[in-house]
Amino acid sequence: MRNLKLLRTLEFRDIQAPGKPQCFSLRTEQGTVLIGSECGLIEVDPVTREVKNEIPLVAEGFLPEDGSGCIVGTQALLDQESVCVATASGDIILCNLSTHQLECVGSVSSGISVMSWSPDQELVLLATGQQTLIMMTEDFEPIMEQQIHQDDFGESKFITVGWGRKETQFHGSEGRQAAFQIQMHESALPWDDHRPQVTWRGDGQFFAVSVVCPETGARKVRVWNREFVLQSTSEPVAGLGPAMAWKPSGSLIASTQEKPNQQDVVFFEKNGLLHGHFTLPFLKDEVKVNDLLWNVDSTVLAVWLEDLQREENSTLKTYVQLWTVGNYHWYLKQSLPFNACGKSRIVSLMWDPVIPYRLHVLCRGWHYLCYDWHWTTHRSSGDSSSDMANVAVIDGSRVLVTVFRQSVVPPPMCTYRLLLPHPVNQVAFSAHPEKSNDLAVLDASNQISVYKCGDSLHVDPTVKLGAVGGNGFKVSLRTPHLEKRYKIQFENSEDQEVNPLKLSLLTWIQEDVFVAVSHSRSSPQSVIHRLAAAPPETDGEQGWLSVSSSVAVDGVIISLCCNSKTKSIALQLAGGQILKYLWESPSLAAEPWKNRGGFPIRFPYPCIQTELAVIGGEECVLGLTDRCRFFVNDTEVASNITSFATYDEFLLLTTHSHVCQCFCLRDASLKTLQAGLSSHHVSNGESLRKVERGSRIVTVVTQDTKLVLQMPRGNLEVVHHRALVLAQIRKWLDKLMFKEAFECMRKLRINLNLMHDHNPQVFLENVETFVRQIDSVNHINLFFTELKEEDVTKTMYPPPVNSAVQLLKGSHGKNIDLICDAVRTAMENIDPHKYCLSILTAHVKKTTPELEIVLQKVHELQGRAPLAPDAVSAEVALKYLLLLVDVDELYDHSLGTYDFDLVLMVAEKSQKDPKEYLPFLNTLKKMETNYQRFTIDKYLRRYEKAIGHLSRCGPEYFPECLNLIKDKNLYNEALKLYPRDSQQYKDISIAYGEHLMQEHLYELGGLVFARCGAHENALNAFLACGSWQQALCMAAQLSLTEDQLAGLGRTLAGKLLEQRKHVDAATVLEQYAQDYEEAVLLLLEGAAWEEALRLVHKYNRLDIIESNIKPSVLEAQKNYMAFLDSQTATFSRHKNRLLVVRELKEQAQQRNLDDEVPQGQESDLFSETSSVMSSSDMSGKYSHSNSRISARSSKNRRKAERKRHSLKEGSPLESQALLEALSEAVQGTENLKDEIYHILKVLFLFEFDEHGRALQKAFEDTLQLMERSIPEIWPLTHQQNPSIPVLGPHSTANSIMASYQQQKTSIPVLDADLFIPPKINKRTQWKLSLLE
């Protein structure tokens, strides 16, 4: 749905040269034009408008002096700085443009009618006057000569498979006589010049020749390959014209055919068969087709036509029409009318071989024209909902308008057609925001037709409905009507005759005011014309537009864009400069467009599409080049953009990656756009959407969610981009337009939780508005069923950055119960009968479904008649409830209400067998009330309620109750049901204590026994757990004798000794067994020196000091010294071995630098013998082993763990085992500080100063050794954990991404705690200053 937009016109008039031009060719590298005439060649530069070279051919004798000479072809040779010229007399001349040297490289005595070079300029083909074809190389060496007329079909001759003769075939409506008709060959067209026509395929592998057959007099097309072998001959085509052009892409050969009532452009395949056609907008014998020309990318077909003389003194015209195809329909996009007589008659035209949409035209009056077109989409640009999202497509004298707001009509169909008297070249929608549907059309006669949308008193005959009307359907579409036609008044009417496309870039800026651009014919300047309507002389439809003001600009304007909001107009020059056209100021002027810094903006490359948009508060110019480079001001944002469009505050782009991205421009910046469009950027799901390959943006429906895309083959696809959808939904919710938002979310499958989560406070405050707008029970039920605890604005649909609503939202969690209650209350206030089902849904949807309340409401409906016409019956409500809740669950809940009528009502709707539930219900009805409810609760497994009801049934049911309590472990709940002084309470407590004893919770069991008065059971429990204080308390309660108490004390002391509680055991022996001597020995065994001294002095047994205490102290000092010596030696040995292992591993890594070595942090754990073993191998080895060991005992698992951390030299994890051993040594030494301090005090007290100093010195040396070694054993690099990403204020994007990548690819770290160095607390006081 694109049109060709004229970017620029280059004009060179009145070239000073002798004779009349006959043909021309291009020198693309130099940008010059070679023009041949009957006098010779000239080379002109159309930009500087000067003649570069003149090469006369008359003086050299190649052309006659009488002016009758004719140049049949010229070709600029790229690699030779020369031009090849062929004359009708048969000479082939090579002209050197640098030295002006002429060389006749060949001559054909019979003359030359056609010279055609292959696209690669390696072959040249000549058609001679003797009806032969000569093929030569680029060095003009003949390859072969063949007759132009061949009797053979060619190598691709069709094969007859023998399916019957023509006479036996079915001929349809033509009848049987068609089988015996003799085909009549029509002669060539009357205006045919009978000259051969040659065209090459784009790759130069084939060429086609159109000639008039001497036998039949009709034209035929023959296809030859590069080796000059005939491939095929076209089928007989009546009225075949001479014009012919092979599509550069190679698929079709275009030609013309004159039919009885029309003139067609027909297409041949390479095998000579017809393949499609389209009709030219002329009658039979009205025009002749001089030539057909494909542009270089095969998208535009130029048709050169000329009026035939039908009446005397009639004005004849020549036309150049540009046709394109889309969705198998041919569109006439541009029509250029020239006079067929005089200086403006076309002599020749050609497409530029490099720039696809540049057309060169040469007129007889030495007038050269160059037009540059490119694709554009003409769409309305309003922002309000009144804008209908119109897109206009030019198709000859028709404008096809599609209204995408109301219907999506695929081309070539449309919503309605505008019928114009002349072919259309430009269309423009009004830039006024409120009148964006109005349309202005500029046709080939330079007449502007203005169509306005609004009420019209009569039916406009120039507006015809398209695919949306007819067949008796009523169309709810307001079509436009023709308001007025304006004829443009030019100062010089000759300009229009010489250049039919004088005005370009037509823009409708306000009522009856237009802006257009023309280019100077004598200098590289452009003129901006402001066209205003002249006062009407009559009230007719015809009006006049005059140039009210003009502004000259140095440079060639190639694009113009207008912002309807800011009313700014930006102009782009060919050099990339951006100008601002101040059309509203009194002194019209164009000044440079400047950015915030005050610097002029300039695109590095010319852009074919420009738009204005406000980005981050600054109005910027957006541009897209034909090479898919996208610019914002003078900054390149991306290089893979295929199309873009701006809508409201959004920028939408399609890329070569086949995605459509959407950016919010309100808070955007150039950096965010660059980051979002970078190739390695991973965008979120809201801003990015995948589209079909080659999709381009057509339009965006304003105040809606539709994004219209067009595929390469022409069909349309409407998508709802998630960013547009969510933005529109947020706008509706902010305006409390819940119905529109709900319908959109339901249709596009947006989670309905967004209705609440977007702004919870506003939603809860306007719940009644929500219910009234939705006004549908089904829709409200749908809203309830989608409710969930998750806040979708934080997970599925995160709002834009700096969203005001998001800032207002608190951090409190979402409460579904609050939403259900609020909506339910609103429905009950509005109409509880109408919204009965929704009210039931609100109860069911709560976090804990209120099924009892729901069942009660249904039960209430059963007992009363409907009060309102829209009220719901109990049967309907129950059926609906069964859709929400499982029938068995609902049956159980109804049974839990103890209402048998409700149970029967639910059971009847279920699939249960009455033979099963009726006897059960009858049995329940016969029971006592409390026992009945107990039975029901037990059946429903509501055991807490069950024992509550059973406890009220009397003492005779207590055994059954106690069994249920034991079976379901309901002790705590049961104890609350009975008084503390009751026997039932004591029985339950004893059962509870026995249960705790079975679970090996002896202390808790003892407490329960003690509370209920079971002291003997409590004593046994406290003995089992070693709680000697509680055990002795229970012994006092039991009034034990002294002997029993002494025996109990010795038993407790033995248990405490097993638990290495020497002080507690000594206390029991001394106080309850009266054995202080044994107590002292236990204290000495437990190194409680000071407590032992206290008992010795208490009982005045000072002899024990000499006999037991002093020897024990000296023995302990000796053991400490030996332990410290062993600990120091072991620590030093492990440390030295660890350093060796690390050094050997580093050497192995250097040797195996090119191989894969273990990476990640655990690679530091491996010894030199395991450097070639990958971590995965080791993990597999041990994981397999552990998987077998896991089923064994804990002892075996510990054994396997010790084996894995083996200190054996060369083991896989030797360095890890060394770290573990060193860490244990440090921790063990640190834990000795308190013991060392106590023994040092006793050694000083007993005057063993030397022993104390030695112990203190040894311990101090050991601690210092370990403190010095910790930084060496645990360096900083081993303490960092790569599994945690590096974050913080000093982190960069690269460092964070590298951290995450390392986390993603690294192997899990084994025993990461080993890499954390042990801590030595220097504040712990252990040293005795008296020994220093």
Side-chain angles (χ1 to χ4, degrees), residues 511-553:
E511 188 75 20
D512 296 335
V513 177
F514 299 87
V515 169
V517 174
S518 67
H519 300 96
S520 175
R521 64 182 185 180
S522 58
S523 62
Q525 280 190 337
S526 300
V527 181
I528 310 170
H529 302 286
R530 178 170 176 167
L531 307 176
E537 298 178 358
T538 62
D539 294 335
E541 292 185 354
Q542 184 67 46
W544 293 90
L545 283 178
S546 60
V547 179
S548 62
S549 60
S550 298
V551 178
V553 175

Side-chain angles (χ1 to χ4, degrees), residues 27 98 223 369 1070 1081 1141:
R27 297 186 69 191
S98 300
V223 178
L369 290 167
E1070 185 230 343
L1081 294 178
V1141 168

Side-chain angles (χ1 to χ4, degrees), residues 978-993:
Y978 294 95
R980 292 190 178 184
D981 55 351
S982 64
Q983 184 61 36
Q984 290 91 342
Y985 185 89
K986 185 174 182 180
D987 293 344
I988 294 173
S989 297
I990 292 174
Y992 191 17

